[in-house]
């Protein structure tokens, strides 16, 4: 394939990334707000002070449990700046605790008092240390697309992963 070809992942092709990885999935999450249409109602409910719905994120939690049971890992490094945005509070209260309970290794990289240690401003998933997918967003947090990176410089992405994880603390320790 031509190195300049843009390969966008959506629907089944995107889901296949999560079904087919063999060992590890890593996400660097850099934005403080994500504006995802599928989350709009639950974010509104959270901000209105409603209770978290029963079964919230159950399908994702089952995916995490299935991967963990088969020896695969899902790790996320979330960059935060305090005070948390309203969306950040939603993640911390409603989303991340269930992900962690299901087996996701969720790490927090607090850059409130630090300049960026060399991490990119680009969200990405890296599967099996071989496949890189950029998650591209508008400034308001609306996702533009998911771009499969052709012939990625894996050393760069592995270094970013390692740098993020070296400067992180587990979510459960961060909250306390």
């Amino acid at each position: 394939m031509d190195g300049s070809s843009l390969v966008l992942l959506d629907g089944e092709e995107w889901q296949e990334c999560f079904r087919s990885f063999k060992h590890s999935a890593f996400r660097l999450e850099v934005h403080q707000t994500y504006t995802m249409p599928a989350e709009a109602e639950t974010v509104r409910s959270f901000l209105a002070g409603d209770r978290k719905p029963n079964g919230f994120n159950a399908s994702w939690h089952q995916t995490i449990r299935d991967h963990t049971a088969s020896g695969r890992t899902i790790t996320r490094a979330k960059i935060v700046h305090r005070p948390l945005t309203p969306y950040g509070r939603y993640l911390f209260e409603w989303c991340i605790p269930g992900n962690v309970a299901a087996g996701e290794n969720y790490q927090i990289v607090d850059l409130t008092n630090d300049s960026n240690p060399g991490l990119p401003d680009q969200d990405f998933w890296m599967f099996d240390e071989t496949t890189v997918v950029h998650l591209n967003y508008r400034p308001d947090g609306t996702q533009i697309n998911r771009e499969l990176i052709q012939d990625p410089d894996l050393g760069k992405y592995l270094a970013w992963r390692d740098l993020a994880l070296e400067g992180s603390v587990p979510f459960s320790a961060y909250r306390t």
Side-chain angles (χ1 to χ4, degrees):
M1 183 177 285
D2 179 340
S4 65
S5 297
L6 185 65
V7 178
L8 301 180
L9 299 178
D10 208 1
E12 279 302 309
E13 287 178 318
W14 175 236
Q15 293 305 316
E16 186 60 26
C17 290
F18 289 96
R19 285 193 290 266
S20 65
F21 77 88
K22 305 218 179 322
H23 306 288
S24 64
F26 171 81
R27 164 105 186 249
L28 181 65
E29 213 170 85
V30 302
H31 295 281
Q32 302 307 295
T33 298
Y34 296 93
T35 308
M36 305 299 287
E39 291 180 331
E41 188 177 324
T42 57
V43 171
R44 272 194 300 275
S45 293
F46 168 78
L47 294 175
D50 295 344
R51 280 200 156 135
K52 182 167 58 174
N54 287 333
F56 180 75
N57 275 354
S59 63
W60 176 243
H61 297 157
Q62 188 59 52
T63 298
I64 296 169
R65 284 191 293 275
D66 291 347
H67 286 320
T68 301
S70 68
R72 293 176 280 181
T73 61
I74 300 176
T75 303
R76 220 181 284 229
K78 169 72 179 148
I79 294 175
V80 299
H81 302 275
R82 288 183 312 246
L84 295 177
T85 63
Y87 184 86
R89 293 194 332 267
Y90 162 75
L91 284 180
F92 272 57
E93 295 297 321
W94 279 23
C95 301
I96 300 172
N99 292 5
V100 170
E104 185 171 347
N105 176 10
Y106 217 111
Q107 300 289 316
I108 303 299
V109 182
D110 190 328
L111 297 182
T112 302
N113 298 315
D114 297 319
S115 62
N116 190 318
L119 294 169
D121 291 330
Q122 175 69 56
D123 278 53
F124 67 88
W125 276 101
M126 181 170 48
F127 300 96
D128 293 327
E129 300 182 351
T130 58
T131 302
V132 175
V133 178
H134 281 186
L135 293 96
N136 299 313
Y137 294 91
R138 291 185 183 91
D140 72 352
T142 303
Q143 191 172 73
I144 299 167
N145 59 34
R146 297 177 207 92
E147 178 185 353
L148 178 66
I149 301 305
Q150 302 296 308
D151 301 315
D153 176 352
L154 291 172
K156 177 174 72 174
Y157 290 94
L158 291 167
W160 284 335
R161 178 202 61 194
D162 295 347
L163 184 61
L165 293 177
E166 285 166 13
S168 71
V169 295
F171 175 73
S172 57
Y174 182 81
R175 293 191 73 193
T176 54

